[in-house]
Amino acid sequence: MDKDFLQFLFCPECRKALELEVFQEKNGRVQEGLLYCSCGALFPITGSIPRIVKDNLKLYKEFWQKYKGKIKKPALSFKEEEVSRETKLKKRTQSSFGYQWRTFYEMSCDFKENFLNYIYPIEPEFFKGKIGLDAGCGFGRHIYNAAKFGAKMVGIDYSRAIESSYQNTATLKDVHLIQGDIYQPPFAKESFDFVYSIGVLHHLPQPEMGFRSLVEYVKPKGSIFIWVYSDQRKFTLRLVEMTRKVTTRLPLGILKVICYIAAFLDYYFFIRPLAFLKKSKLLKKTGLEKLIFPRIWLYSKYPFQVNFADWFDRLSAPIRFYYNEKEISEWFTQAGLKNIKVSSTDYYGIRAYGEKA
Ligand SMILES: C[S@@+](CC[C@H](N)C(=O)[O-])C[C@H]1O[C@@H](n2cnc3c(N)ncnc32)[C@H](O)[C@@H]1O
């Protein structure tokens, strides 16, 4: 964490500014340290990443053990979260994505086209000189491109996926990363020119509440854009949800093996041969081209690793909600946004853009 970044950080519980104590520093960056608030909340910085999550005492036991002699204040963390079905699901989401994005951390391609598709009609010029928040940045593929397009970027993710974002953006100066929760981001309200969240809100126990939380961090006249799953493919989604009843309960290591087999068969026996046929004139001539699903074309542009990661994502994430354009339009309208643009990305997703008054 850059020391200058401290001015952006606020206690997510009581909203006061945080103070910093440095334990280890390298090239002007805090490697290990402590963020504390006068309300008593303490948050560790480990691996140069501030860990502003409620359960940091449990998640980073080694840190507290290592520095217990140096920490003068009692380690009061947040108020304990109620043990509800919702918090249990959040915890499972945290460990599932932490595992997923530290396994599939590699930027196997540059994802630029992919990012521009998710955020259409926004163009690269939009980002220059602005400050933005990537909410749920995962392994960092989109924040990398947003920073390359010229924005100063802050990324937040609830899971240890944030460590992969850190690794994948290490060469970029203007990227700052935090392990934190969309429901309680540790920033001052109205701090960002734009906030986006791609493929994240549908994994929250209460997606619209997460969206509303993010809107509060957009500056007046700033923009918010999101991408969520579409409910268009009713039959396929029913099959997926039936399968997930079993797969979301499997140990992650076993699920990884199953997903490797599924992805291998899908990619080498289905996607690549069909994509090859699609390019050939034969399919066009016979009119069979239309029968090839858009996903074949989509995945054929990516390396195997992307298909493998998506199989894992599909079968492991504890929560998945699906939406239609009307529902997402209503989120934006009810949040008081204007210049709203909602459209579909093939059958799979819905992207939406809006501006604050
Ligand atoms: C499917 S991944 C998408 C990652 C990235 N946006 C991308 O498109 O590559 C969803 C991410 O949302 C994060 N996430 C889930 N719940 C969250 C929460 N409450 N606050 C912040 N991040 C959350 C997960 O840890 C995970 O990295």
Side-chain angles (χ1 to χ4, degrees):
M1 178 191 123
D2 282 349
K3 280 188 188 160
D4 290 349
F5 189 56
L6 181 65
Q7 57 183 321
F8 266 93
L9 296 179
F10 287 79
C11 176
E13 191 81 337
C14 73
R15 321 293 325 160
K16 286 189 204 130
L18 294 172
E19 289 184 57
L20 170 69
E21 194 176 338
V22 180
F23 297 149
Q24 267 182 47
E25 198 176 336
K26 198 169 151 197
N27 306 328
R29 287 198 129 194
V30 183
Q31 298 299 310
E32 305 225 315
L34 193 64
L35 290 162
Y36 57 96
C37 176
S38 56
C39 76
L42 298 178
F43 307 103
I45 300 169
T46 71
S48 205
I49 302 168
R51 314 288 181 159
I52 309 189
V53 282
K54 289 201 180 206
D55 47 358
N56 73 68
L57 284 180
K58 282 189 199 128
L59 288 177
Y60 298 102
K61 274 192 192 122
E62 282 153 31
F63 172 92
W64 296 108
Q65 201 57 33
K66 183 170 170 192
Y67 291 108
K68 75 173 178 233
K70 283 196 172 189
I71 299 167
K72 288 160 215 111
K73 298 180 183 268
L76 272 181
S77 193
F78 278 120
K79 281 186 268 167
E80 273 293 313
E81 276 181 305
E82 254 177 75
V83 186
S84 59
R85 184 175 170 271
E86 217 169 85
T87 47
K88 278 192 197 148
L89 276 171
K90 256 177 89 182
K91 293 263 133 269
R92 279 177 53 207
T93 300
Q94 188 187 48
S95 62
S96 161
F97 279 113
Y99 179 90
Q100 177 175 325
W101 293 131
R102 284 182 306 147
T103 304
F104 303 103
Y105 61 88
E106 216 181 296
M107 289 274 269
S108 51
C109 54
D110 75 2
F111 293 105
K112 186 168 139 189
E113 206 187 312
N114 175 274
F115 182 47
L116 289 171
N117 184 36
Y118 282 132
I119 65 173
Y120 179 84
I122 292 173
E123 301 278 350
E125 296 69 45
F126 168 91
F127 293 86
K128 278 208 178 71
K130 290 187 177 147
I131 170 150
L133 174 67
D134 181 329
C137 55
F139 74 113
R141 59 178 156 177
H142 304 311
I143 198 169
Y144 176 89
N145 280 299
K148 279 273 186 192
F149 292 153
K152 177 180 175 125
M153 288 302 302
V154 177
I156 181 172
D157 199 285
Y158 192 50
S159 75
R160 291 187 64 182
I162 198 75
E163 292 162 23
S164 300
S165 268
Y166 185 81
Q167 206 171 321
N168 285 327
T169 56
T171 52
L172 303 174
K173 201 174 130 283
D174 267 339
V175 175
H176 304 271
L177 300 167
I178 291 142
Q179 189 176 359
D181 188 352
I182 282 175
Y183 289 121
Q184 280 187 301
F187 314 113
K189 303 271 166 87
E190 303 191 336
S191 294
F192 298 96
D193 295 313
F194 64 92
V195 172
Y196 67 81
S197 187
I198 297 175
V200 179
L201 294 169
H202 48 224
H203 292 303
L204 303 186
Q206 296 196 51
E208 189 175 0
M209 200 171 122
F211 175 69
R212 285 292 183 99
S213 164
L214 292 179
V215 172
E216 293 189 41
Y217 294 84
V218 180
K219 286 181 190 170
K221 306 216 181 304
S223 324
I224 179 156
F225 33 108
I226 65 166
W227 183 90
V228 290
Y229 293 140
S230 158
D231 68 358
Q232 276 193 70
R233 297 166 304 149
K234 302 259 186 284
F235 178 69
T236 312
L237 293 179
R238 205 167 300 153
L239 280 183
V240 169
E241 285 309 313
M242 272 161 54
T243 312
R244 284 168 41 74
K245 283 203 175 22
V246 178
T247 56
T248 52
R249 288 175 170 82
L250 292 174
L252 296 171
I254 292 178
L255 185 58
K256 186 179 157 194
V257 176
I258 293 172
C259 290
Y260 182 85
I261 297 168
F264 187 87
L265 296 174
D266 184 27
Y267 194 75
Y268 291 109
F269 290 88
F270 197 53
I271 293 172
R272 295 224 67 96
L274 283 177
F276 177 76
L277 276 180
K278 190 169 175 172
K279 271 190 210 151
S280 78
K281 287 188 185 129
L282 183 73
L283 239 73
K284 267 189 201 132
K285 267 191 205 155
T286 54
L288 290 173
E289 190 198 31
K290 289 186 201 92
L291 294 180
I292 295 187
F293 309 121
R295 75 177 285 277
I296 303 293
W297 207 228
L298 185 78
Y299 282 108
S300 68
K301 292 186 203 155
Y302 294 117
F304 169 74
Q305 177 82 356
V306 175
N307 192 38
F308 183 15
D310 276 6
W311 268 97
F312 191 86
D313 190 288
R314 197 170 293 132
L315 298 183
S316 69
I319 311 170
R320 273 166 75 111
F321 286 98
Y322 306 96
Y323 295 95
N324 59 42
E325 288 188 26
K326 188 168 166 278
E327 286 163 331
I328 297 303
S329 279
E330 277 165 16
W331 282 15
F332 276 65
T333 318
Q334 278 166 17
L337 298 163
K338 55 187 188 70
N339 289 338
I340 301 166
K341 294 177 186 98
V342 181
S343 58
S344 293
T345 53
D346 287 328
Y347 299 112
Y348 312 109
I350 294 169
R351 61 192 160 202
Y353 170 93
E355 288 166 10
K356 242 178 161 175

